[in-house]
């Protein structure tokens, strides 16, 4: 496990998703991205597979059936012509001519269709209540059609066609937290004592051995310069049981 991964797991008790309009998926894990970058969710799932973190249900969302994004917008449409050019307001139904339209169209108390003045509610007109009117085809309706629009790819679809997207929360297990405490304490101990001996601690890195093969080491420390430079590499094996002898000897191979 890399030092970055250890630091992340140690510092992140619970990782939860956050909605955002800037990501194609419509959500992100900001804390994890500080350590793992754009591929944070994949790395979190890798840690789950390795038994280093637990994954639990967090939230169920509707997603785009085409791209899977949860960055969706609800838009209302005219059920007759499909236009989004609709207005909502109090509606008046003028009985003598049958015209139905928003109250705002009845200027000076006159019907915009026949021009007759409105007399009294219940006598020559009624107010059915708030309704919608399509400004393209003139249709008046109580319930507009609604569809979901994907802000990521532009797909337009019915709610029934939406994809189910499950968002998860990730948390470190108490047992692993204890193990990390030990591992980080070991590293601090090594750094402190090597520094006292005059060594400079280098970041874990890939180093070419005498055989020409590249190896990754837990810690690298060096002292001196030029031909007098002394460089040591450190690798640690940890296990619940005694580490087999052949595994211990296998640590010598990379240093050759």
């Amino acid at each position: 496990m890399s030092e970055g991964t250890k630091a992340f797991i140690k510092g992140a008790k619970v990782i939860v998703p956050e909605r955002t309009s800037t990501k194609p998926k419509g959500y992100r894990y900001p804390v994890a991205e500080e350590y793992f970058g754009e591929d944070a969710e994949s790395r979190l799932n890798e840690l789950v597979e390795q038994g280093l973190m637990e994954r639990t249900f967090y939230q169920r969302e509707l997603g785009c059936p085409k791209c899977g994004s949860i960055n969706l917008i609800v838009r209302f449409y005219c059920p007759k012509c499909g236009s989004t050019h609709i207005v909502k307001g109090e509606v008046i139904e003028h009985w003598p001519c049958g015209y139905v339209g928003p109250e705002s169209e009845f200027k000076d108390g006159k019907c915009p269709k026949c021009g007759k003045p409105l007399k009294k509610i219940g006598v020559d007109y009624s107010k059915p209540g708030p309704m919608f009117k399509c400004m393209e085809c003139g249709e008046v309706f109580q319930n507009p059609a609604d569809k979901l629009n994907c802000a990521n790819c532009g797909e337009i679809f019915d709610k029934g066609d939406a994809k189910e997207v499950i968002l998860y929360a990730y948390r470190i297990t108490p047992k692993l937290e204890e193990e990390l405490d030990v591992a980080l304490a070991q590293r601090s101990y090594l750094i402190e004592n090597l520094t006292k001996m005059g060594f400079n601690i280098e970041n874990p890195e890939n180093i070419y051995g005498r055989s020409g093969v590249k190896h990754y080491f837990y810690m690298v420390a060096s002292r001196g310069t030029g031909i007098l430079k002394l460089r040591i590499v450190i690798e640690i094996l940890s296990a619940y049981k005694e580490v087999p002898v052949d595994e211990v000897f296998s640590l010598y191979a990379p240093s050759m």
Side-chain angles (χ1 to χ4, degrees), residues 21-107:
S21 60
T22 61
K23 300 289 183 180
K25 290 184 177 181
Y27 66 93
R28 59 191 287 254
Y29 290 88
V31 175
E33 285 180 3
E34 293 180 11
Y35 295 86
F36 301 137
E38 295 295 319
D39 199 30
E41 187 175 12
S42 296
R43 292 297 305 277
L44 286 171
N45 288 325
E46 288 177 7
L47 293 174
V48 171
E49 292 175 2
Q50 296 167 13
L52 302 178
M53 299 195 82
E54 294 178 342
R55 188 177 72 174
T56 57
F57 173 84
Y58 181 74
Q59 196 162 280
R60 178 180 281 103
E61 297 279 359
L62 294 180
C64 173
K66 183 178 180 181
C67 70
S69 175
I70 66 170
N71 195 6
L72 308 177
I73 301 169
V74 178
R75 286 200 175 99
F76 294 127
Y77 296 83
C78 170
K80 183 178 180 180
C81 72
S83 172
T84 58
H85 191 189
I86 59 178
V87 294
K88 181 181 180 181
E90 287 290 336
V91 171
I92 291 179
E93 181 181 3
H94 191 217
W95 295 343
C97 69
Y99 183 76
V100 180
E103 188 174 19
S104 59
E105 292 183 355
F106 289 76
K107 306 294 185 182

Side-chain angles (χ1 to χ4, degrees), residues 182-196:
V182 173
L184 293 174
Q186 288 176 340
R187 181 171 177 79
S188 297
Y189 175 82
L190 288 171
I191 291 175
E192 180 182 353
N193 284 276
L194 286 170
T195 301
K196 288 180 180 178

Side-chain angles (χ1 to χ4, degrees), residues 117-130:
L118 301 178
K119 295 179 181 179
K120 186 177 181 180
I121 188 169
V123 175
D124 64 336
Y125 73 94
S126 65
K127 287 186 175 182

